[in-house]
Every structure is written in structure tokens, then in C-alpha cells.
Amino acid sequence: MLLARMQTGDSEAFAALYRKYWRRLFDAAYRRILLREESEEIIQEIFVDLWAKRETLLISVSLEAYLFGALRYSIYNLIRFRKIREAYLEHLLQVPGDQNNYIEDRLHYEELARALESSVQNLPEKLRKVYLLSRKEHLTYKEIAEQEQIPVDTVEKQMGRALKILRENLKEFAWAWIVLEMWGLYP
Amino acid sequence: MAVTAPECYYIKSGEVYRRMDKDRLLYLLENDKSGQNSPAEAEELEAWYRSAESRPAFTDGLSADGLSALEDKLFARIQTANAESEEWVDVLPAGKSGWYGWGKIAAAVLFLIVAGLGLYMFQRQNGRITERTGFGETRVLTLPDGSEVTLNGNSVLSYDAEWSELREVRLEGEGYFKVVHTKDHRKFRVRTGADFSLDVLGTQFNVSKRESGTRIVLDEGKVRCNLGDSESDTLVLRPGEMVQFRKKPSDYQRERVEKGLYSAWKDHKLIFKNTSLREVAGILRDTYGLETDSSRPELLDRQISGSVPTDNVDLLLQGVAEASAVTITRDGDQLVIAPKSE
């Protein structure tokens, strides 16, 4: 039972739950707000909140119902607190078939994938191996440890270092993206 | 025709409800929060929420690489936030564990501060380091912990030569900070007055203290503002939020702003978006030491949008003049704004 394991502080169970639900949650958020960054922010907060409350959380129906309930709450708040500009909100409500945002936002992730790919290639050998086993093969840290004949906490440390390096690289990418968006606004 | 926008209508018990508009939606959401929606209204909101299901799934249009890039990026952010919220639980006094999601390691905050000079005095004792920039000068400084500060023109930064547990700097003027995260998670604090400071853990941010008020803009990450002496009087900023106040930090206003707008000076440009000439004049005074005068004060209400270079003051002035259709004449430190002569 992943939920019960997560509630006792098992971070692998948490990661598995993330993998299980993130995509449907993201799609559900994006359909309603058509904004990439806000959708990301909402999904991030839902999972961060889930982890933070893991010990005290009482799930009465199902985790799925809980997560989608939290999603709805976040979307409502986003709109209520005017975090979406009113002009945009009008557009959101009145142009049901608009696909422009989809195209632009998908392009962002394709670009990101390319940046990520080259960052992964540049990781130190050991870190790259662990990263790929975890992210591409979806092996657990324990499975990686067994396969590579290294202690589990070494795997954890290496993953942490790999993620840190990637984050640093992707951070610059994200910033470059913001700058590009700005120049689009101010020709 | 109504059929072309099915999610904007819904029919119940033979009645056609009106198209959802933003005011209606905001009304329903307010009621939802306070639990005051009638059953029909609750159903209307529910119908709106459900109607979006007819839109395509965003991730279906991603390549396998794009999909895993999104999955990994999100998870990396979640992991970072989880790790940092746990650090905060350690750092903060017991009973204050609400600081979840100190998101990214890097943040970019812009912080424009104006409170009268003399709100506090820089200490000039032994062991205190003080750095200053002249009008129009920008300079990059490295702090003892390796953090980096870009000081904008007419600014002063000071700090103890030897930091204790807390890394604290004082700022008068404007600066962009890249704070390194220490292994022992020492807090980094920027103080701009006795009643206002800002705490970060490994972020990048931009701070400025000027005459007309205090302004903080967070482009990325999360930062905590301490509004007074009391531990509880704090405010957490989220990306894209701006907080400003004139004199008393507790009289702050919070709003959403365009990301990057307020930190462009660091890249040697200024970006304006419906910015009044009055505000531009404030920047010219604070950063470049140029006083503005006009026989026609209403000209200062004109708004401009666009971007101007800052490395050459004359080009900057020319750009501002063109964008606002006025003439700006410069005589030393004095600027005169006049209607554009035909």
C-alpha cells in the first residue's frame, strides 16, 4: 500500500505516488487555466503539501479523490485571488477551443527536454548512470543499489547530486525562457 | 450558435443558464469559499469546472522526451521544496512549521526601498565593511561566503567583516543578490531598516532602498519578509508577487506583477510597462542623481512602455523622450521636460 508507506515517511512510495498521479493532475489543471507555470506551481504545491502532512493526513475516501479535491481547491483559489489577470480570465472562459497556449507551452517542454538531455550527457559518469536508472528505467533506489552493488544511501546521495547539477542547469534555462518571453512582449 | 460553446451553457430542468463570464465565476467562487452558493449555483460552478474536461489533455501532445522533462522538472522542484521545508522546520522555533515549499534554490527578488534616510545609520565601526556606488555606476561585489551582489547606482551595502551564525547585510539603494546556500543552512538576511528585513536561504534576489517607498518583487523562489520585530509579523512572497509600502511595513500592498520587469537594470536596461514619467523621474533621481523639472507637471502623468538601455544615460533619456513624445533637455544634473516642439 503506497499511501500507507508514504505516510510513514517512505520517500520511494512518495515518488511512486507522484509518478502515478502527476500527469492526470497536470492535465486537469492545464485544461482549466491554460497556463503552464501556474499549472506546475499547483501540482508542486499539492505534492509538497501531501509530503508535509503525511503523518497527520486522514484520507477518508481515496487518495485520488483527495488529490483531485486539492487540485480543485487550488484552481479556485488561483482565480479567486486574482492570480490570473482578469482580462485573461475572460479569454479563458470565452475561447473554449483556443489551442495557442497548448502549442507554445508544449514547445517549452520540448526545449526543456533538449536542455535536460545535454545536461544529463554532461553529468559525471556515476551520477549519470544512477540518474538514468532511476528516471528512465524507473528502478527504485534499492533496486539500483542491488544492481550496482553500492549502498542505498550512496544511491540517494548520487541522485541528490545529479538533481542538484541538473537543477542548476535548468534554472538558467528557465531564466532564459523568461527573458525570451519578455522580449516577445516588448518588441 | 449556442451549441458552439457548450461549456458556457448548461441546461437543467429545462432551463438554460447564462453563459459564464468572469464576474459570474468570481461571484460563484467567493460564495463557494463562504459556503453561500445555492444548490443551483453550486451546480453551475460544478458544471463550469467539469466542462473543461472537453479540452484536450496537454500532455498527450508531448513527445516522450518532453513528457519526461516535465515529469522530472516538476519532481525536482517538489523534492527541493520538501528538503527545504524540512530545513526550515529545523531552523525555525518550535511551533512554526508552516513554511512549506521554499521552492527553488534560486530566487530573484526585486526590492525597491524608500524610507527616509536616517531611518537607520550605517555602522562605521571597526570590522564593518562598507561598499558604495556613485550615480549611474553598477558594481559586482563578492561577499565573504561567496555570495554575489550587484549594486545599482547610488547605493550602499555594509556588513560585518566576520559573520556569526546569521549572514546579515544592510542595504540602502538597490542590489541584486545571488546568495549561496551554506552546508549548515545559515540564514541570509538583508536589512533595510530597523523595521524591515528579508530572510532567504540560498536565493538570488534584487533589493533596493530608495526615497519614495519600499518595493519587493519576487521573480522566482520564495522569500520571507519580516515586517517588524515580532517573529509572527511575516509575509511569504511567491514568484511574480510584489509587495510595497511607503513608510510603515505593516501598511503593505501585495499584487501580481510581470516577472523580470523590475530586475532588468542588472542587464543594463530598464523595462517600462505603463510606467508614468513621474516614476521614471524617481528612478532617474535615485539611481542617476538627475533632478527633473517641468513647467507642465501634467506631462509627468504620461505613461510609457518599452525598454531602454541604461549604460548610456543620454541614450536612456532619448528613449524615454521618444516613448513619451516629450523633449528632455539635460543641463548637468538637471533635466527639463517640455512638450515636444513641432
Side-chain angles (χ1 to χ4, degrees):
Chain A
M1 185 65 193
L2 284 176
L3 176 61
R5 274 173 54 203
M6 192 276 294
Q7 292 199 274
T8 60
D10 180 339
S11 57
E12 276 173 26
F14 175 74
L17 288 173
Y18 167 79
R19 277 200 300 278
K20 187 169 173 192
Y21 291 110
W22 80 270
R23 188 172 172 180
R24 282 167 54 214
L25 287 166
F26 188 91
D27 282 337
Y30 194 87
R31 279 188 171 109
R32 286 166 181 98
I33 53 183
L34 303 179
L35 292 167
R36 164 175 70 74
E37 285 167 315
E38 279 76 1
S39 300
E40 283 185 17
E41 182 89 4
I42 284 178
I43 307 310
Q44 178 186 338
E45 280 178 10
I46 288 174
F47 281 100
V48 168
D49 194 51
L50 178 70
W51 182 248
K53 289 186 186 154
R54 63 186 180 273
E55 284 167 7
T56 51
L57 195 65
L58 286 173
I59 306 262
S60 50
V61 186
S62 67
L63 179 63
E64 183 170 329
Y66 172 83
L67 291 173
F68 281 87
L71 180 77
R72 175 193 293 253
Y73 182 76
S74 301
I75 290 172
Y76 282 4
N77 273 345
L78 189 82
I79 297 170
R80 201 166 45 222
F81 293 147
R82 311 291 197 277
K83 286 183 177 171
I84 290 180
R85 287 198 311 274
E86 294 210 5
Y88 181 80
L89 191 55
E90 200 76 68
H91 160 90
L92 191 63
L93 289 166
Q94 293 189 355
V95 192
D98 187 17
Q99 299 268 310
N100 286 340
N101 291 35
Y102 276 82
I103 295 165
E104 219 173 283
D105 285 344
R106 280 172 181 155
L107 187 64
H108 170 84
Y109 293 114
E110 302 299 343
E111 298 275 334
L112 183 66
R114 249 166 279 162
L116 183 66
E117 175 68 23
S118 66
S119 294
V120 170
Q121 288 309 318
N122 289 329
L123 283 177
E125 175 66 32
K126 279 181 190 162
L127 304 191
R128 187 169 70 234
K129 192 157 195 183
V130 169
Y131 177 86
L132 290 174
L133 287 172
S134 165
R135 291 305 151 96
K136 300 276 178 197
E137 313 282 329
H138 293 305
L139 296 188
T140 63
Y141 289 177
K142 206 173 150 214
E143 287 163 344
I144 297 172
E146 279 161 13
Q147 182 174 326
E148 297 298 303
Q149 312 252 313
I150 48 177
V152 176
D153 56 344
T154 305
V155 176
E156 263 174 44
K157 274 182 202 137
Q158 289 180 343
M159 264 312 277
R161 277 172 58 205
L163 284 176
K164 196 175 167 208
I165 294 171
L166 294 176
R167 261 200 309 272
E168 282 298 306
N169 292 338
L170 296 174
K171 176 184 81 192
E172 281 162 32
F173 178 79
W175 181 249
W177 193 261
I178 291 166
V179 171
L180 286 177
E181 281 174 340
M182 298 274 320
W183 286 116
L185 288 172
Y186 304 98
Chain B
M1 284 308 287
V3 184
T4 59
E7 57 255 75
C8 296
Y9 291 84
Y10 88 101
I11 299 170
K12 198 188 169 200
S13 318
E15 273 182 273
V16 178
Y17 284 74
R18 66 171 156 156
R19 186 191 180 102
M20 181 76 87
D21 67 15
K22 75 171 187 348
D23 295 325
R24 180 71 180 162
L25 179 60
L26 290 168
Y27 164 82
L28 293 173
L29 289 176
E30 276 313 319
N31 279 354
D32 179 70
K33 177 78 179 170
S34 49
Q36 285 172 349
N37 272 332
S38 69
E41 285 171 335
E43 175 56 27
E44 189 181 351
L45 183 59
E46 172 68 26
W48 168 75
Y49 191 81
R50 256 196 332 259
S51 69
E53 290 296 329
S54 65
R55 285 193 175 126
F58 179 84
T59 59
D60 283 356
L62 289 174
S63 69
D65 284 347
L67 188 68
S68 63
L70 171 54
E71 179 173 355
D72 290 351
K73 177 191 180 185
L74 260 177
F75 194 60
R77 284 174 53 174
I78 291 165
Q79 296 281 64
T80 311
N82 283 348
E84 291 189 5
S85 70
E86 274 159 31
E87 281 164 14
W88 271 100
V89 174
D90 294 342
V91 168
L92 291 166
K96 258 199 131 181
S97 53
W99 298 99
Y100 308 121
W102 272 67
K104 301 159 209 168
I105 285 195
V109 188
L110 184 100
F111 189 64
L112 270 171
I113 297 202
V114 187
L117 293 176
L119 191 62
Y120 72 89
M121 298 295 289
F122 282 113
Q123 296 162 1
R124 308 278 252 109
Q125 312 148 342
N126 288 341
R128 187 123 183 121
I129 294 166
T130 304
E131 305 276 2
R132 293 164 189 278
T133 51
F135 287 120
E137 179 195 1
T138 51
R139 188 145 42 104
V140 181
L141 311 167
T142 305
L143 300 178
D145 62 346
S147 296
E148 211 177 74
V149 187
T150 311
L151 270 190
N152 204 354
N154 185 29
S155 302
V156 186
L157 182 86
S158 73
Y159 52 92
D160 285 336
E162 300 222 354
W163 272 320
S164 54
E165 199 179 315
L166 178 69
R167 301 178 282 167
E168 179 167 302
V169 299
R170 291 189 160 197
L171 178 85
E172 189 104 27
E174 180 168 20
Y176 186 90
F177 291 70
K178 286 185 184 173
V179 177
V180 297
H181 191 156
T182 60
K183 282 217 172 87
D184 52 353
H185 315 309
R186 274 187 300 158
K187 247 192 270 188
F188 190 97
R189 175 173 288 170
V190 181
R191 181 167 286 285
T192 61
D195 56 353
F196 193 83
S197 65
L198 185 146
D199 287 348
V200 284
L201 262 178
T203 59
Q204 296 180 21
F205 57 99
N206 182 11
V207 178
S208 111
K209 176 187 173 91
R210 298 301 193 191
E211 236 164 85
S212 49
T214 300
R215 178 185 290 165
I216 302 128
V217 180
L218 182 62
D219 284 339
E220 227 184 273
K222 277 176 189 165
V223 170
R224 182 179 61 177
C225 303
N226 305 312
L227 303 170
D229 288 337
S230 115
E231 273 286 311
S232 58
D233 218 359
T234 60
L235 179 69
V236 175
L237 284 194
R238 290 153 171 281
E241 281 187 345
M242 173 169 88
V243 160
Q244 53 184 354
F245 57 87
R246 281 186 173 282
K247 288 207 169 110
K248 276 170 64 188
S250 52
D251 295 338
Y252 69 85
Q253 278 183 308
R254 187 203 300 236
E255 58 188 288
R256 299 279 291 176
V257 294
E258 198 94 56
K259 284 184 181 178
L261 205 61
Y262 293 87
S263 48
W265 63 267
K266 184 175 62 71
D267 303 316
H268 308 291
K269 54 184 175 261
L270 284 175
I271 298 177
F272 302 121
K273 198 180 180 196
N274 301 329
T275 310
S276 69
L277 276 185
R278 186 166 283 111
E279 280 178 73
V280 176
I283 296 172
L284 293 173
R285 182 194 60 227
D286 293 336
T287 311
Y288 301 94
L290 301 170
E291 289 296 335
T292 304
D293 196 15
S294 181
S295 54
R296 301 261 309 269
E298 75 276 11
L299 289 177
L300 296 175
D301 293 329
R302 288 199 185 170
Q303 296 189 334
I304 60 172
S305 295
S307 127
V308 291
T310 58
D311 17 28
N312 180 324
V313 175
D314 290 318
L315 279 180
L316 192 169
L317 295 176
Q318 199 185 324
V320 170
E322 274 167 22
S324 50
V326 296
T327 53
I328 302 179
T329 1
R330 179 179 178 187
D331 179 11
D333 294 340
Q334 190 66 45
L335 302 176
V336 176
I337 296 188
K340 196 165 194 164
S341 46
E342 293 302 319

